[in-house]
Amino acid sequence: MNLDGGSQAAEPLLSSALHSIRQRIAAACARAGRNESEVTLVAVSKTVAAERVQEAIAAGLTVFGENRVQEAEAKIAQLAPQNAQIEWHLIGHLQSNKARKAVALFDAVQSVDDEALAERLNRIAAEIGKRLPVFIEVHLGNEDSKAGVAPGEALPLIEKVSKLSSLELKGLMTVPPFLENVEEVRPFFRQLRELRDEALRTGIAGTAFTQLSMGMSHDFEVAIEEGATLVRIGTALFGARA
Ligand SMILES: *Cc1c(COP(=O)(O)O)cnc(C)c1O
């Protein structure tokens, strides 16, 4: 026991937070008749110091989400050498002038939302001999956010991105509005799933287009009930961001 207090006292114990999140994921999967192995927990480590990310790795987490290229660059440089098995996903908006850095750094980019950006990522990935996993971010009812392609333009973008040979199109991502009552978020998650299913049915994206990255600390259980295959969780795991 740490009797002299210290700065760590105020932080929730990461391993117990993780345990409780995993239980909630399992319960949501059970309610939906899904297998837990279908859901990947992406630990959102934006603003979290590298030391604490290392703790999360020690607790068993393997996939991390960052929303800024610059911040991720420093963290990955510090952590990657001793943690080769860890995956880093970019989940925030990508400016085209940071595309080159992003392709080199990340194992997946979840925030592709226009054709020009996709083509740029494809060109750079081809140059450095990498096949980059990507998700298309769809804008669903979130007035505060400009990120993401409009739902009506998603299918044509999916079709175009699926033809770029140095990108591996995995699926869709969304950040719906924050609504106190999570039941009100459910229709947005359902809408993302229906978009994926339509792309699969019409064959425009190939059969590997299966992933749905949706659900955050506040609403991940509903997202899982609606088919999420990746949930992106920050505050429930690491505590409130400064
Ligand atoms: C910050 C962030 C998250 C995590 O949010 P929490 O509410 O802290 O779980 C997930 N996805 C994106 C795109 C984010 O920017």
Side-chain angles (χ1 to χ4, degrees), residues 38-208:
E38 294 168 31
V39 180
T40 298
L41 171 52
V42 179
V44 176
S45 50
K46 63 187 184 198
T47 79
V48 175
E51 292 69 26
R52 202 146 156 77
V53 176
Q54 185 65 61
E55 266 182 62
I57 294 170
L61 286 158
T62 57
V63 185
F64 290 85
E66 288 279 339
N67 68 339
R68 288 159 175 264
V69 174
Q70 213 99 329
E71 183 189 338
E73 186 180 23
K75 233 176 270 184
I76 294 172
Q78 199 175 330
L79 293 168
Q82 66 276 24
N83 298 293
Q85 76 286 8
I86 298 306
E87 270 185 41
W88 296 92
H89 289 205
L90 180 64
I91 59 172
H93 178 69
L94 178 58
Q95 288 169 279
S96 61
N97 64 350
K98 299 208 174 110
R100 184 166 296 277
K101 206 164 256 181
V103 174
L105 278 173
F106 289 99
D107 301 293
V109 172
Q110 294 199 8
S111 49
V112 173
D113 63 1
D114 78 58
E115 192 181 352
L117 176 63
E119 281 171 352
R120 195 181 179 97
L121 292 172
N122 182 59
R123 200 160 53 239
I124 297 167
E127 268 173 47
I128 69 169
K130 176 169 181 169
R131 192 142 189 269
L132 181 70
V134 298
F135 295 67
I136 289 174
E137 180 173 358
V138 183
H139 182 118
L140 295 178
N142 194 340
E143 304 300 329
D144 304 335
S145 164
K146 288 183 201 74
V149 63
E153 291 159 27
L155 290 171
L157 183 60
I158 291 166
E159 185 163 22
K160 281 172 189 142
V161 174
S162 69
K163 293 189 175 123
L164 300 173
S165 59
S166 292
L167 301 184
E168 189 183 340
L169 182 57
K170 300 290 229 181
L172 299 173
M173 184 270 243
T174 196
V175 183
F178 181 95
L179 299 168
E180 209 48 67
N181 176 0
V182 291
E183 282 305 321
E184 291 173 13
V185 192
R186 188 183 294 277
F188 298 112
F189 295 141
R190 190 169 294 163
Q191 198 182 347
L192 199 73
R193 184 187 70 214
E194 286 169 356
L195 263 178
R196 177 203 59 188
D197 292 347
E198 190 174 349
L200 283 172
R201 195 166 51 243
T202 52
I204 57 170
T207 52

Side-chain angles (χ1 to χ4, degrees), residues 20-39:
S20 126
I21 291 166
R22 287 212 195 284
Q23 282 184 330
R24 290 167 62 190
I25 290 174
C29 284
R31 282 195 298 277
R34 302 181 61 200
N35 193 308
E36 260 180 270
S37 64
E38 294 168 31
V39 180

Side-chain angles (χ1 to χ4, degrees), residues 44 46 67 91-92 173 175 216-218 232-236 241:
V44 176
K46 63 187 184 198
N67 68 339
I91 59 172
M173 184 270 243
V175 183
M216 305 174 22
S217 292
H218 174 64
R232 308 178 310 268
I233 298 182
T235 47
R241 285 179 290 275

